Amino acid sequence: MLSNGMSWTKGGFVLVLLLAVAFPGCTSATNEGNGGPECSDGIDNSGDGLVDEDDPNCNFEGDITIYCPNWDSETIAPTLSECN
C-alpha cells in the first residue's frame, strides 16, 4: 500500500491512464481493436488516418473496390493471392 492509502495496483492504473491521455498515439498491442487481422480490427494501425476497408493497403494492390479483411497489414497492400 502506498503512503496515500492507495494500493500500488490502483495507483499504477491511474498512472497508465494518465499516460494514455497524455500520449494518445502510444498504445500497447493488447489494446488493439478486436484482436483480428489489422485490416478488420477497427484500428488505424498504420497511422495514416484510414481504418480497415478505407485503407488502400487493406485492398488488393490498393484498389479500394477489392477489400481484403483477412489481410494483416495496413502498411503493405496484398496481392490477389494474399487477399483470398
Side-chain angles (χ1 to χ4, degrees), residues 14-68:
V14 171
L15 176 62
V16 170
L17 181 60
L18 290 173
L19 289 172
V21 170
F23 301 99
C26 299
T27 58
S28 71
T30 58
N31 291 331
E32 288 202 5
N34 62 19
E38 283 189 9
C39 287
S40 59
D41 65 359
I43 300 287
D44 176 13
N45 302 91
S46 58
D48 62 1
L50 302 169
V51 177
D52 298 342
E53 190 170 357
D54 296 328
D55 194 317
N57 289 321
C58 288
N59 297 277
F60 164 63
E61 295 185 350
D63 178 354
I64 61 170
T65 63
I66 305 173
Y67 174 49
C68 308

Short mmCIF file of all heavy atoms in Angstrom, two decimals, residues 14-68:
data_model
loop_
_atom_site.label_atom_id
_atom_site.label_comp_id
_atom_site.label_asym_id
_atom_site.label_seq_id
_atom_site.Cartn_x
_atom_site.Cartn_y
_atom_site.Cartn_z
N VAL A 14 -3.97 4.32 -12.45
CA VAL A 14 -4.15 5.76 -12.63
C VAL A 14 -2.98 6.34 -13.43
O VAL A 14 -3.18 7.14 -14.34
CB VAL A 14 -4.31 6.48 -11.27
CG1 VAL A 14 -4.28 7.99 -11.43
CG2 VAL A 14 -5.61 6.05 -10.59
N LEU A 15 -1.76 5.91 -13.13
CA LEU A 15 -0.59 6.39 -13.86
C LEU A 15 -0.68 5.99 -15.33
O LEU A 15 -0.45 6.82 -16.21
CB LEU A 15 0.69 5.82 -13.24
CG LEU A 15 1.99 6.17 -13.98
CD1 LEU A 15 2.20 7.68 -13.99
CD2 LEU A 15 3.16 5.47 -13.34
N VAL A 16 -1.04 4.75 -15.61
CA VAL A 16 -1.18 4.30 -17.00
C VAL A 16 -2.27 5.09 -17.71
O VAL A 16 -2.11 5.51 -18.85
CB VAL A 16 -1.47 2.78 -17.05
CG1 VAL A 16 -1.85 2.35 -18.45
CG2 VAL A 16 -0.26 2.00 -16.58
N LEU A 17 -3.38 5.32 -17.03
CA LEU A 17 -4.47 6.09 -17.61
C LEU A 17 -4.02 7.51 -17.94
O LEU A 17 -4.29 8.03 -19.02
CB LEU A 17 -5.67 6.12 -16.66
CG LEU A 17 -6.90 6.86 -17.16
CD1 LEU A 17 -7.42 6.24 -18.45
CD2 LEU A 17 -7.98 6.86 -16.09
N LEU A 18 -3.30 8.15 -17.03
CA LEU A 18 -2.80 9.50 -17.27
C LEU A 18 -1.82 9.52 -18.45
O LEU A 18 -1.86 10.43 -19.28
CB LEU A 18 -2.14 10.07 -16.02
CG LEU A 18 -3.08 10.41 -14.88
CD1 LEU A 18 -2.29 10.79 -13.64
CD2 LEU A 18 -4.04 11.52 -15.27
N LEU A 19 -0.96 8.54 -18.54
CA LEU A 19 -0.02 8.46 -19.66
C LEU A 19 -0.75 8.24 -20.98
O LEU A 19 -0.39 8.81 -22.01
CB LEU A 19 1.01 7.35 -19.44
CG LEU A 19 2.04 7.63 -18.35
CD1 LEU A 19 2.88 6.39 -18.09
CD2 LEU A 19 2.92 8.81 -18.73
N ALA A 20 -1.80 7.43 -20.96
CA ALA A 20 -2.57 7.19 -22.17
C ALA A 20 -3.25 8.46 -22.66
O ALA A 20 -3.35 8.71 -23.86
CB ALA A 20 -3.60 6.09 -21.94
N VAL A 21 -3.72 9.28 -21.74
CA VAL A 21 -4.36 10.55 -22.10
C VAL A 21 -3.30 11.54 -22.61
O VAL A 21 -3.50 12.24 -23.59
CB VAL A 21 -5.14 11.14 -20.91
CG1 VAL A 21 -5.59 12.55 -21.19
CG2 VAL A 21 -6.32 10.24 -20.56
N ALA A 22 -2.14 11.56 -21.96
CA ALA A 22 -1.08 12.49 -22.34
C ALA A 22 -0.44 12.13 -23.67
O ALA A 22 -0.01 13.00 -24.43
CB ALA A 22 -0.01 12.54 -21.24
N PHE A 23 -0.37 10.83 -23.98
CA PHE A 23 0.27 10.36 -25.21
C PHE A 23 -0.70 9.43 -25.96
O PHE A 23 -0.52 8.22 -25.99
CB PHE A 23 1.56 9.60 -24.89
CG PHE A 23 2.56 10.43 -24.15
CD1 PHE A 23 2.70 10.32 -22.77
CD2 PHE A 23 3.36 11.34 -24.81
CE1 PHE A 23 3.61 11.09 -22.08
CE2 PHE A 23 4.28 12.12 -24.13
CZ PHE A 23 4.41 11.99 -22.76
N PRO A 24 -1.74 9.99 -26.61
CA PRO A 24 -2.77 9.17 -27.20
C PRO A 24 -2.29 8.26 -28.34
O PRO A 24 -2.91 7.27 -28.63
CB PRO A 24 -3.80 10.17 -27.71
CG PRO A 24 -3.05 11.44 -27.85
CD PRO A 24 -1.97 11.41 -26.81
N GLY A 25 -1.18 8.57 -29.00
CA GLY A 25 -0.69 7.73 -30.08
C GLY A 25 0.02 6.49 -29.60
O GLY A 25 0.32 5.60 -30.38
N CYS A 26 0.30 6.40 -28.32
CA CYS A 26 1.03 5.26 -27.78
C CYS A 26 0.05 4.29 -27.15
O CYS A 26 -0.60 4.59 -26.17
CB CYS A 26 2.03 5.72 -26.70
SG CYS A 26 3.26 6.86 -27.33
N THR A 27 -0.06 3.10 -27.74
CA THR A 27 -0.92 2.07 -27.18
C THR A 27 -0.16 0.77 -27.18
O THR A 27 0.78 0.58 -27.94
CB THR A 27 -2.22 1.89 -28.01
OG1 THR A 27 -1.85 1.56 -29.35
CG2 THR A 27 -3.06 3.15 -27.99
N SER A 28 -0.57 -0.13 -26.36
CA SER A 28 0.08 -1.44 -26.35
C SER A 28 -0.67 -2.38 -27.28
O SER A 28 -1.84 -2.16 -27.60
CB SER A 28 0.09 -2.01 -24.93
OG SER A 28 -1.21 -2.38 -24.56
N ALA A 29 -0.01 -3.42 -27.71
CA ALA A 29 -0.62 -4.38 -28.62
C ALA A 29 -1.84 -5.04 -28.00
O ALA A 29 -2.75 -5.44 -28.70
CB ALA A 29 0.40 -5.43 -29.03
N THR A 30 -1.90 -5.13 -26.69
CA THR A 30 -3.04 -5.77 -26.04
C THR A 30 -4.28 -4.91 -26.09
O THR A 30 -5.37 -5.39 -25.82
CB THR A 30 -2.72 -6.10 -24.57
OG1 THR A 30 -2.37 -4.90 -23.89
CG2 THR A 30 -1.60 -7.10 -24.46
N ASN A 31 -4.18 -3.66 -26.47
CA ASN A 31 -5.33 -2.77 -26.54
C ASN A 31 -5.80 -2.54 -27.97
O ASN A 31 -6.58 -1.64 -28.22
CB ASN A 31 -5.00 -1.41 -25.91
CG ASN A 31 -4.84 -1.52 -24.42
OD1 ASN A 31 -5.43 -2.37 -23.79
ND2 ASN A 31 -4.02 -0.65 -23.86
N GLU A 32 -5.34 -3.31 -28.92
CA GLU A 32 -5.67 -3.08 -30.31
C GLU A 32 -6.97 -3.78 -30.69
O GLU A 32 -7.03 -4.99 -30.77
CB GLU A 32 -4.55 -3.54 -31.22
CG GLU A 32 -3.36 -2.64 -31.14
CD GLU A 32 -2.49 -2.75 -32.37
OE1 GLU A 32 -2.86 -3.44 -33.32
OE2 GLU A 32 -1.45 -2.11 -32.37
N GLY A 33 -7.99 -3.01 -30.99
CA GLY A 33 -9.22 -3.48 -31.58
C GLY A 33 -9.76 -4.80 -31.07
O GLY A 33 -9.71 -5.10 -29.90
N ASN A 34 -10.27 -5.60 -31.99
CA ASN A 34 -10.91 -6.86 -31.62
C ASN A 34 -9.98 -8.06 -31.71
O ASN A 34 -10.44 -9.18 -31.58
CB ASN A 34 -12.15 -7.08 -32.51
CG ASN A 34 -11.78 -7.21 -33.98
OD1 ASN A 34 -10.64 -7.49 -34.33
ND2 ASN A 34 -12.75 -6.99 -34.85
N GLY A 35 -8.70 -7.84 -31.95
CA GLY A 35 -7.73 -8.93 -32.00
C GLY A 35 -7.67 -9.64 -33.33
O GLY A 35 -6.93 -10.60 -33.47
N GLY A 36 -8.44 -9.18 -34.31
CA GLY A 36 -8.41 -9.80 -35.64
C GLY A 36 -7.26 -9.26 -36.47
O GLY A 36 -6.41 -8.52 -35.98
N PRO A 37 -7.23 -9.61 -37.75
CA PRO A 37 -6.21 -9.08 -38.63
C PRO A 37 -6.28 -7.55 -38.67
O PRO A 37 -7.34 -6.96 -38.46
CB PRO A 37 -6.57 -9.66 -40.00
CG PRO A 37 -7.42 -10.85 -39.71
CD PRO A 37 -8.15 -10.52 -38.43
N GLU A 38 -5.15 -6.90 -38.96
CA GLU A 38 -5.12 -5.43 -38.96
C GLU A 38 -6.18 -4.83 -39.87
O GLU A 38 -6.68 -3.75 -39.59
CB GLU A 38 -3.73 -4.93 -39.40
CG GLU A 38 -2.70 -5.04 -38.32
CD GLU A 38 -1.39 -4.34 -38.66
OE1 GLU A 38 -1.31 -3.62 -39.67
OE2 GLU A 38 -0.44 -4.53 -37.89
N CYS A 39 -6.53 -5.50 -40.96
CA CYS A 39 -7.50 -4.94 -41.90
C CYS A 39 -8.96 -5.16 -41.52
O CYS A 39 -9.86 -4.83 -42.28
CB CYS A 39 -7.21 -5.47 -43.30
SG CYS A 39 -5.71 -4.73 -44.00
N SER A 40 -9.20 -5.70 -40.33
CA SER A 40 -10.58 -5.83 -39.87
C SER A 40 -10.68 -5.68 -38.35
O SER A 40 -11.59 -6.19 -37.73
CB SER A 40 -11.17 -7.17 -40.31
OG SER A 40 -10.41 -8.25 -39.80
N ASP A 41 -9.74 -4.91 -37.76
CA ASP A 41 -9.76 -4.77 -36.29
C ASP A 41 -10.32 -3.44 -35.80
O ASP A 41 -10.39 -3.18 -34.62
CB ASP A 41 -8.37 -4.99 -35.70
CG ASP A 41 -7.36 -3.94 -36.12
OD1 ASP A 41 -7.71 -3.02 -36.89
OD2 ASP A 41 -6.21 -4.03 -35.66
N GLY A 42 -10.73 -2.56 -36.73
CA GLY A 42 -11.32 -1.28 -36.33
C GLY A 42 -10.31 -0.26 -35.85
O GLY A 42 -10.68 0.74 -35.25
N ILE A 43 -9.01 -0.48 -36.12
CA ILE A 43 -7.94 0.40 -35.66
C ILE A 43 -7.17 0.94 -36.87
O ILE A 43 -6.99 0.24 -37.86
CB ILE A 43 -6.94 -0.39 -34.77
CG1 ILE A 43 -7.64 -0.97 -33.55
CG2 ILE A 43 -5.74 0.45 -34.37
CD1 ILE A 43 -8.01 0.04 -32.51
N ASP A 44 -6.70 2.17 -36.76
CA ASP A 44 -5.81 2.74 -37.78
C ASP A 44 -4.38 2.29 -37.43
O ASP A 44 -3.62 3.04 -36.84
CB ASP A 44 -5.92 4.26 -37.81
CG ASP A 44 -4.95 4.90 -38.79
OD1 ASP A 44 -4.37 4.18 -39.63
OD2 ASP A 44 -4.77 6.12 -38.72
N ASN A 45 -4.03 1.07 -37.79
CA ASN A 45 -2.74 0.50 -37.43
C ASN A 45 -1.56 1.21 -38.08
O ASN A 45 -0.47 1.22 -37.52
CB ASN A 45 -2.69 -0.99 -37.79
CG ASN A 45 -3.79 -1.76 -37.12
OD1 ASN A 45 -4.85 -1.92 -37.69
ND2 ASN A 45 -3.57 -2.23 -35.91
N SER A 46 -1.74 1.77 -39.25
CA SER A 46 -0.62 2.41 -39.97
C SER A 46 -0.50 3.89 -39.66
O SER A 46 0.45 4.53 -40.08
CB SER A 46 -0.78 2.19 -41.48
OG SER A 46 -2.01 2.72 -41.93
N GLY A 47 -1.46 4.46 -38.96
CA GLY A 47 -1.39 5.87 -38.57
C GLY A 47 -1.61 6.84 -39.72
O GLY A 47 -1.23 8.00 -39.64
N ASP A 48 -2.27 6.38 -40.79
CA ASP A 48 -2.49 7.25 -41.95
C ASP A 48 -3.87 7.89 -41.96
O ASP A 48 -4.26 8.55 -42.92
CB ASP A 48 -2.24 6.49 -43.25
CG ASP A 48 -3.19 5.31 -43.44
OD1 ASP A 48 -4.06 5.07 -42.58
OD2 ASP A 48 -3.04 4.61 -44.46
N GLY A 49 -4.63 7.70 -40.89
CA GLY A 49 -5.96 8.29 -40.79
C GLY A 49 -7.04 7.45 -41.43
O GLY A 49 -8.21 7.83 -41.45
N LEU A 50 -6.69 6.30 -42.00
CA LEU A 50 -7.65 5.42 -42.66
C LEU A 50 -7.74 4.10 -41.90
O LEU A 50 -6.73 3.56 -41.45
CB LEU A 50 -7.22 5.16 -44.10
CG LEU A 50 -7.08 6.43 -44.96
CD1 LEU A 50 -6.41 6.10 -46.29
CD2 LEU A 50 -8.44 7.06 -45.18
N VAL A 51 -8.95 3.58 -41.77
CA VAL A 51 -9.18 2.37 -40.98
C VAL A 51 -9.75 1.27 -41.88
O VAL A 51 -10.70 1.48 -42.63
CB VAL A 51 -10.16 2.65 -39.82
CG1 VAL A 51 -10.47 1.39 -39.04
CG2 VAL A 51 -9.60 3.73 -38.90
N ASP A 52 -9.14 0.10 -41.76
CA ASP A 52 -9.62 -1.13 -42.38
C ASP A 52 -10.03 -0.95 -43.85
O ASP A 52 -9.20 -0.68 -44.69
CB ASP A 52 -10.73 -1.75 -41.54
CG ASP A 52 -10.23 -2.13 -40.15
OD1 ASP A 52 -9.01 -2.23 -39.96
OD2 ASP A 52 -11.06 -2.32 -39.24
N GLU A 53 -11.29 -1.11 -44.17
CA GLU A 53 -11.76 -1.10 -45.56
C GLU A 53 -11.40 0.20 -46.28
O GLU A 53 -11.19 0.21 -47.50
CB GLU A 53 -13.27 -1.33 -45.62
CG GLU A 53 -13.78 -1.57 -47.01
CD GLU A 53 -15.23 -2.03 -47.02
OE1 GLU A 53 -15.82 -2.22 -45.95
OE2 GLU A 53 -15.77 -2.20 -48.12
N ASP A 54 -11.31 1.31 -45.57
CA ASP A 54 -10.98 2.60 -46.19
C ASP A 54 -9.49 2.77 -46.46
O ASP A 54 -9.09 3.69 -47.16
CB ASP A 54 -11.47 3.75 -45.30
CG ASP A 54 -12.98 3.78 -45.18
OD1 ASP A 54 -13.67 3.38 -46.16
OD2 ASP A 54 -13.49 4.20 -44.13
N ASP A 55 -8.65 1.89 -45.89
CA ASP A 55 -7.21 1.98 -46.09
C ASP A 55 -6.84 1.24 -47.38
O ASP A 55 -7.12 0.05 -47.50
CB ASP A 55 -6.49 1.34 -44.90
CG ASP A 55 -5.01 1.67 -44.86
OD1 ASP A 55 -4.37 1.64 -45.93
OD2 ASP A 55 -4.50 1.97 -43.77
N PRO A 56 -6.22 1.91 -48.35
CA PRO A 56 -5.85 1.24 -49.60
C PRO A 56 -4.99 0.00 -49.38
O PRO A 56 -5.03 -0.94 -50.18
CB PRO A 56 -5.07 2.30 -50.37
CG PRO A 56 -5.53 3.60 -49.81
CD PRO A 56 -5.86 3.32 -48.37
N ASN A 57 -4.21 -0.03 -48.30
CA ASN A 57 -3.36 -1.19 -48.03
C ASN A 57 -4.12 -2.39 -47.50
O ASN A 57 -3.54 -3.43 -47.25
CB ASN A 57 -2.22 -0.81 -47.08
CG ASN A 57 -1.22 0.09 -47.77
OD1 ASN A 57 -0.90 -0.10 -48.93
ND2 ASN A 57 -0.73 1.08 -47.06
N CYS A 58 -5.43 -2.25 -47.34
CA CYS A 58 -6.28 -3.38 -46.96
C CYS A 58 -7.08 -3.85 -48.16
O CYS A 58 -8.04 -4.60 -48.03
CB CYS A 58 -7.23 -2.98 -45.83
SG CYS A 58 -6.39 -2.79 -44.24
N ASN A 59 -6.68 -3.40 -49.32
CA ASN A 59 -7.36 -3.72 -50.56
C ASN A 59 -6.36 -4.25 -51.58
O ASN A 59 -5.18 -3.86 -51.56
CB ASN A 59 -8.07 -2.48 -51.10
CG ASN A 59 -9.14 -1.99 -50.16
OD1 ASN A 59 -10.24 -2.47 -50.17
ND2 ASN A 59 -8.79 -1.04 -49.30
N PHE A 60 -6.82 -5.11 -52.47
CA PHE A 60 -5.96 -5.71 -53.48
C PHE A 60 -5.19 -4.64 -54.24
O PHE A 60 -5.77 -3.81 -54.91
CB PHE A 60 -6.81 -6.56 -54.43
CG PHE A 60 -6.13 -6.92 -55.73
CD1 PHE A 60 -5.00 -7.70 -55.73
CD2 PHE A 60 -6.63 -6.47 -56.93
CE1 PHE A 60 -4.37 -8.04 -56.91
CE2 PHE A 60 -6.02 -6.81 -58.13
CZ PHE A 60 -4.88 -7.59 -58.12
N GLU A 61 -3.87 -4.67 -54.07
CA GLU A 61 -2.95 -3.74 -54.72
C GLU A 61 -3.41 -2.28 -54.65
O GLU A 61 -3.20 -1.50 -55.56
CB GLU A 61 -2.68 -4.18 -56.16
CG GLU A 61 -1.95 -5.50 -56.23
CD GLU A 61 -1.56 -5.94 -57.63
OE1 GLU A 61 -2.00 -5.31 -58.61
OE2 GLU A 61 -0.82 -6.92 -57.72
N GLY A 62 -4.07 -1.92 -53.55
CA GLY A 62 -4.51 -0.55 -53.33
C GLY A 62 -5.81 -0.18 -54.01
O GLY A 62 -6.29 0.94 -53.88
N ASP A 63 -6.43 -1.10 -54.73
CA ASP A 63 -7.70 -0.87 -55.41
C ASP A 63 -8.82 -0.97 -54.37
O ASP A 63 -9.14 -2.06 -53.89
CB ASP A 63 -7.90 -1.92 -56.51
CG ASP A 63 -9.24 -1.78 -57.22
OD1 ASP A 63 -10.09 -0.97 -56.82
OD2 ASP A 63 -9.43 -2.53 -58.20
N ILE A 64 -9.42 0.16 -54.00
CA ILE A 64 -10.39 0.16 -52.90
C ILE A 64 -11.70 -0.55 -53.23
O ILE A 64 -12.58 -0.64 -52.39
CB ILE A 64 -10.66 1.57 -52.36
CG1 ILE A 64 -11.23 2.47 -53.45
CG2 ILE A 64 -9.40 2.16 -51.75
CD1 ILE A 64 -11.73 3.80 -52.94
N THR A 65 -11.83 -1.09 -54.43
CA THR A 65 -13.04 -1.86 -54.76
C THR A 65 -12.91 -3.33 -54.38
O THR A 65 -13.89 -4.06 -54.40
CB THR A 65 -13.39 -1.74 -56.26
OG1 THR A 65 -12.33 -2.31 -57.03
CG2 THR A 65 -13.61 -0.29 -56.66
N ILE A 66 -11.69 -3.79 -54.05
CA ILE A 66 -11.48 -5.19 -53.68
C ILE A 66 -10.89 -5.25 -52.28
O ILE A 66 -9.68 -5.23 -52.07
CB ILE A 66 -10.55 -5.90 -54.69
CG1 ILE A 66 -11.10 -5.74 -56.11
CG2 ILE A 66 -10.41 -7.37 -54.32
CD1 ILE A 66 -10.17 -6.27 -57.18
N TYR A 67 -11.75 -5.29 -51.28
CA TYR A 67 -11.37 -5.28 -49.86
C TYR A 67 -10.91 -6.66 -49.41
O TYR A 67 -11.51 -7.68 -49.75
CB TYR A 67 -12.59 -4.82 -49.04
CG TYR A 67 -12.43 -4.87 -47.54
CD1 TYR A 67 -11.33 -4.33 -46.90
CD2 TYR A 67 -13.42 -5.44 -46.77
CE1 TYR A 67 -11.21 -4.37 -45.52
CE2 TYR A 67 -13.33 -5.48 -45.39
CZ TYR A 67 -12.22 -4.94 -44.77
OH TYR A 67 -12.11 -4.97 -43.41
N CYS A 68 -9.84 -6.69 -48.62
CA CYS A 68 -9.25 -7.95 -48.12
C CYS A 68 -9.25 -7.95 -46.59
O CYS A 68 -8.24 -7.64 -45.96
CB CYS A 68 -7.82 -8.09 -48.64
SG CYS A 68 -7.66 -7.91 -50.42
#
